[in-house]
Amino acid sequence: MSSNQIDKIRNIGIMAHIDAGKTTTTERILYYTGKSHKIGEVHNGTATMDWMIQEQERGITITSAATTCRWNNQVINIIDTPGHVDFTIEVERSLRVLDGAVGVFDAVSGVEPQSETVWAQADKYKVPRLAFVNKMDRMGADFDNCVNEIREKLDKKAAAIQRPIGSEESFNGIVDLIEMKAIYFPAESLGSKIDIKDIPEDLVDECQMYRDELLDNLSEYDETLTDLILNDEKPTVANIKAALRKAVIKDNFIAVLCGSAFKNKGIQPLLDAVVDYLPSPTDRGELHGHSIKNPENTEVRRPEVDEMFSGIAFKIATDPFVGSVTFVRIYSGKLESGQTVYNPIKKKRERINKIFQMHADKRTELQEAFAGDIVAVAGFKDTTTGETLCTENKPIIYDLMEFPETVISVAIEAKTAADEKKLLTSLEQLKNEDPSFTFKNNQETGQLLILGMGELHLEIIADRLQREFNVGIRVGKPQVSYRESISGSATENNIFHKELAGKVQFGDVTIKVEPADYQAGVQFESSVPTKQLPQNFIDAIK
Ligand code: GDP
């Protein structure tokens, strides 16, 4: 990939409520992009089928913070965004470096609380989005209801660009409302074969109606389309695609698609839509919303893509194949293996030993990487998550990410003296990777405490200590030390925010309630453990 191909890059995240099908959708995307399928192409060799079944059984899992794949000569970098509320902060750091996102919804459950949370976070960073209504094969799947909920709960500017053909068990294809064609995904081909046909007769009128509605909607954002419609001229497919691309990128219009990842239906058209409607790094440009300063704290202009190197380290991780790496989103210039870059926060030079592109099943070593790319770099020593890397003689700083205070702790202790030795260095490394995690000694008891954003978060830390770092530990019960986060439906909590924001007195307990915009929850501080909080307070937020 060279710098003049920046327009062929899509840096996207896939975000969803837990269980909506984010993992399955991502796996299918990696699967279809790993093989060179073209729409309409038929694969019927047994070798291919065996390979596919094996792959399906094994499942391709995202093993990396960013995974690179290719679709129709475009590069798609998928940046991992966890779905569980404990990792909302991880979502935040991903959102900061991606250019577009796909929101995955469950066609039965519609818009769920965590979808609202991630949606609000994506709004904060003005990330252009597509919505994929997954699980159309499930009993009770209701596409129209889901589209309505997206409009009502998330975004008024949303419209379907597809219609499902069949429903629940008999869901077998989609109508593309822009091309006005029916796309079928024959079950026996595991999605490797796609049939494009005319829209079934009984659906033509209905689809025409939805198409007119879509064009009406879009014409609000595009003058060419408005003029054509006013002059009674038929917009071409190219006219509509151009208008939709503009509306999605500039006006955060949400194009809604549907399918069933599990049943291999709808993934290829979703990939086409990612390429057609989500922004390239240059489209996104200024919309990124980073404030950029020099080390003297004066605001400076964003460097052009072909100027000096600048980028953000957005995740530090231990990769099973290549070891400790820092994931970097390059905003301008280029990175070369062996080169030294500058970290203006730490005031340190960092040497790039190796640059990798991470794929689903392999890592490719690169000699250089360019603006728009997302790569993993080996060799950094002092850089932590969120810090800018740049050129020493023109230092700039992209605004730092803020990390909220931890809300829960557990006591841990090493099993043996040998474990004791490894424990602190391992915790230090974990803290470097994950700034929403920390550890300290309890002053009163002398116990070592690990602190994080939720029970699951700490469970994973404890698990990693044992499995990845081979440290034998005993883990105590989770304790809410003096700060607790309670999550529930964002709607309920919004009411709760309004009623209770500020300091609230319950008997002799004063509780400070503060709206927390990074998760659909309420952060509150109290001088007493949660167990002793007044029942009516607990009831109010449950
Ligand atoms: P995540 O938590 O959002 O990553 O969701 P997963 O991808 O792990 O999916 C959650 C569950 O839903 C799993 O049991 C999947 O097999 C199932 N699932 C995912 N996609 C579909 C689908 O399209 N249809 C049906 N019926 N189940 C699905």
Coordinates of all heavy atoms in Angstrom, one line a residue, residues 24 46 93 167 233 265 360 362 405 408 510 512:
T24 N -19.7 -13.0 15.2 CA -20.1 -13.8 14.1 C -19.9 -13.0 12.8 O -19.4 -13.4 11.8 CB -21.5 -14.3 14.2 OG1 -21.7 -14.9 15.5 CG2 -21.8 -15.4 13.2
T46 N -14.7 -29.6 -4.1 CA -14.8 -30.2 -2.7 C -13.7 -29.6 -1.8 O -14.0 -29.4 -0.6 CB -14.6 -31.7 -2.7 OG1 -13.8 -32.1 -3.9 CG2 -15.9 -32.4 -2.8
R93 N -11.5 4.3 23.0 CA -10.2 4.5 22.3 C -10.1 4.0 20.9 O -9.4 4.5 20.1 CB -9.0 3.9 23.2 CG -8.9 2.4 23.2 CD -7.6 2.0 23.9 NE -7.7 0.7 24.4 CZ -7.0 0.2 25.4 NH1 -6.1 1.0 26.0 NH2 -7.1 -1.0 25.8
S167 N -38.9 -14.3 5.8 CA -38.6 -13.9 7.2 C -38.4 -15.2 8.0 O -38.7 -16.3 7.6 CB -39.7 -13.0 7.7 OG -40.8 -13.8 8.0
E233 N -37.0 13.6 -13.3 CA -36.0 12.8 -14.0 C -35.6 11.6 -13.1 O -35.7 11.8 -11.9 CB -34.8 13.6 -14.4 CG -35.0 14.5 -15.5 CD -33.7 15.3 -15.8 OE1 -32.7 14.7 -15.9 OE2 -33.9 16.5 -15.8
K265 N -25.7 -14.9 5.3 CA -26.5 -14.1 4.4 C -26.3 -12.6 4.6 O -26.5 -12.2 5.8 CB -28.0 -14.5 4.6 CG -28.3 -15.9 4.1 CD -29.8 -16.2 4.4 CE -30.3 -17.5 3.9 NZ -29.6 -18.7 4.0
A360 N -6.2 -12.0 9.8 CA -6.9 -12.9 10.7 C -6.0 -14.1 11.1 O -6.0 -14.5 12.2 CB -8.1 -13.5 9.9
K362 N -2.5 -14.4 9.9 CA -1.1 -14.3 9.7 C -0.7 -12.8 10.0 O -1.5 -11.9 10.1 CB -0.6 -14.7 8.3 CG -1.2 -13.8 7.2 CD -0.6 -14.3 5.9 CE -0.8 -13.3 4.7 NZ -2.1 -13.0 4.2
E405 N -12.0 7.1 36.5 CA -11.5 6.3 37.7 C -12.1 4.9 37.7 O -13.2 4.7 37.2 CB -12.0 7.1 39.0 CG -11.1 8.2 39.3 CD -11.6 8.9 40.5 OE1 -11.9 8.2 41.5 OE2 -11.8 10.1 40.5
I408 N -14.2 -0.7 40.8 CA -14.3 -1.9 41.6 C -12.9 -2.5 41.8 O -12.0 -2.3 41.0 CB -15.2 -2.9 40.8 CG1 -15.6 -4.1 41.7 CG2 -14.6 -3.4 39.5 CD1 -16.7 -4.9 41.2
T510 N -24.8 11.4 52.1 CA -24.8 12.3 50.9 C -24.2 11.6 49.7 O -23.2 11.0 49.8 CB -23.9 13.6 51.2 OG1 -24.4 14.1 52.5 CG2 -24.1 14.6 50.1
K512 N -23.2 12.0 45.7 CA -22.9 12.9 44.6 C -23.2 12.1 43.3 O -22.6 11.1 43.0 CB -21.5 13.3 44.6 CG -21.2 14.4 43.7 CD -19.7 14.9 43.9 CE -19.2 15.4 42.6 NZ -17.9 15.1 42.4

